[in-house]
Structures are given as structure tokens and as C-alpha cells.
Amino acid sequence: MMPDQKNDYFCYIPESRLCRALGCTLQSSGFTQVGKNAQYPAQTHPKGHMFNRHTGRILQAYQLVYIEEGRGRAELGRQLGLQNISAGSAFVLFPNVWDRYAPEVSVGWTEHWVECKGTAFDMAVSSGILDPHRPIFRNSDRAAVKATFEEIHTLAVKDAVANQPVLSMLGLKLLAILAGTCNTSETSSNRLVNTARMMLLERYADNRPMEEIADTLNVSYSNLRRMFRIDTGMSMK
């Protein structure tokens, strides 16, 4: 398929040891143009990925979904409620979290998606880069997201299994683009807290004083503790 994305497709790929070692395995990808009043989703996906507008589903991996055109609604977790999804928005589906989404019947939409699993995505959640309570990215770099998806689609259609390691790294690239967009909109306190969280994850086995992290970030320990508790709801310890 050429990068102009005129043909719908999807593919599902077995897990590979190389991708697992790299920290990310791209398991599936797809591109769909949903017209007005069209059935959604198509009834040809594997059983574990099927859902409808009413029942939803629970996946066992992460999905990154980008809506290039059109609009719709999504419920990404039972606690978050129904949210509007507009053109240019991206959202994340998390493992073991119930979800459902669909284009507006009278409008339709154009949808790109990849499904990934691995320690890189797990660490992104642990460090706060991905947050199940904030699954929608409304200000993503559209050009970068679309270009990356075009590369993914071209390689997947050509030979998804042979290109799986490269596809998996492109899945990480999408994560980096979305996370970068999120980080640029963070407040300075959010950035400090997220940096502190990453440092804690890196040093958790060293049993080093918490004050060292504050010194490294050039902030007082008391202020860092306060910001950390406000942002995460827990103490640094």
C-alpha cells in the first residue's frame, strides 16, 4: 500500500523474541476509513478484538489510535465517562481497561492504529508518561504522527512479519511523539515530579537518600515532597 492511505487493511503478528528483548512488540496495526452510516467496527477482526458501540471490550495490550479525519466519541475506562474525539486527536487503550469508541454515524472518521506490548510501554505507565486517567492527546504533532503511521502501514502491508522489529520501534516512536506533546504542556511542577518518579524507579534498589534527588533537581526536599504528594497522591517513600 502506498503512503497516500487509500486502502483499508489490518494485520496481526505473532510475538517475537527479538522484539520482546527490545522492550516493545508491535502485535497489530491497521488503517480504516469509516463512511457515514457504516458498520463499525468491521466484523472480520479476531474475537479478542471485537466490540460494538454498546458492549465495549478489554484488551491485553496497549493500542495507540489516531483519528485523522471525522469525529466520534470514546469511553476509555468505566470511570472516565464518554468523551468527544475530534480530528487530530490520538488516544491510548490500556491493557485490562474496558473501552469502547466509535465514529459519529452521520460523519464517520479515518482511523490509524497500532497495538503494542512490552516493558517500554509498562515503564511509560510506571513513570507517568502514560496515564490511564488521561488517555487522550488532543494537541499531538499531526504531521509527525501521520508520517510515522504511513511508514508503519507501508511496511506492514509489504511484509508485517519480516518487518516486525522495525514496526515495533516505530510503535515506540509514536509513543515518544505523543509523550513529547504531553510533556511540553506540563507545568514546571509536573515535570519535576515526573523526573523525580523516573529517578526513583532507576534508584529504587540503591536505597539512597531522597534528598539526593532534590539536590539533583535543584529544589528543596520539602518542596519536592509537597509537589510529589499533590501530583501523585502518595509520598516519595
Side-chain angles (χ1 to χ4, degrees):
M1 179 179 62
M2 296 303 292
D4 60 5
Q5 298 311 318
K6 292 183 178 178
N7 300 312
D8 293 1
Y9 88 98
F10 60 82
C11 63
Y12 292 85
I13 318 170
E15 190 169 355
S16 83
R17 290 189 300 169
L18 173 57
C19 295
R20 192 184 311 122
L22 293 172
C24 178
T25 300
L26 187 140
Q27 295 185 304
S28 63
S29 65
F31 169 78
T32 308
Q33 299 175 98
V34 184
K36 298 178 182 179
N37 304 309
Q39 176 179 307
Y40 184 84
Q43 298 299 308
T44 50
H45 291 277
K47 184 177 179 180
H49 290 74
M50 282 305 304
F51 68 102
N52 61 46
R53 297 171 186 267
H54 306 291
T55 61
R57 67 179 173 187
I58 297 176
L59 295 174
Q60 301 304 310
Y62 301 87
Q63 272 198 14
L64 304 180
V65 183
Y66 174 61
I67 305 304
E68 181 183 354
E69 297 176 345
R71 63 176 182 268
R73 307 183 86 183
E75 197 168 358
L76 308 174
R78 296 186 185 276
Q79 313 302 321
L80 299 183
L82 207 57
Q83 301 184 66
N84 292 323
I85 303 295
S86 56
S89 297
F91 54 90
V92 183
L93 310 179
F94 290 85
N96 302 310
V97 176
W98 178 85
D99 69 76
R100 61 176 175 174
Y101 55 93
E104 188 173 317
V105 174
S106 62
V107 178
W109 70 19
T110 299
E111 169 190 322
H112 307 253
W113 56 271
V114 295
E115 183 175 30
C116 299
K117 67 183 297 185
T119 54
F121 275 76
D122 294 337
M123 285 293 292
V125 175
S126 298
S127 62
I129 294 172
L130 290 180
D131 185 350
H133 297 97
R134 292 180 292 179
I136 301 175
F137 299 85
R138 301 189 187 278
N139 299 306
S140 57
D141 184 336
R142 296 189 185 191
V145 171
K146 183 179 178 182
T148 305
F149 266 116
E150 287 176 347
E151 190 173 359
I152 288 171
H153 299 327
T154 300
L155 291 172
V157 170
K158 183 178 180 180
D159 191 334
V161 174
N163 291 317
Q164 189 181 29
V166 177
L167 289 168
S168 298
M169 294 304 98
L170 288 170
L172 285 181
K173 181 179 178 180
L174 283 173
L175 173 61
I177 293 169
L178 295 176
T181 302
C182 181
N183 287 339
T184 57
S185 64
E186 288 181 323
T187 65
S188 58
S189 63
N190 292 145
R191 287 193 291 271
L192 272 174
V193 169
N194 282 333
T195 302
R197 291 173 70 170
M198 294 175 68
M199 294 174 70
L200 285 169
L201 286 168
E202 293 168 356
R203 303 181 182 189
Y204 77 95
D206 297 343
N207 199 28
R208 294 161 66 179
M210 300 288 181
E211 288 82 359
E212 285 189 13
I213 293 177
D215 290 341
T216 302
L217 297 175
N218 196 30
V219 63
S220 72
Y221 179 48
S222 60
N223 282 338
L224 182 58
R225 283 189 305 173
R226 177 179 55 80
M227 289 187 290
F228 196 95
R229 183 175 289 279
I230 290 173
D231 201 70
T232 67
M234 64 184 72
S235 71
M236 289 179 65
K237 291 184 179 180

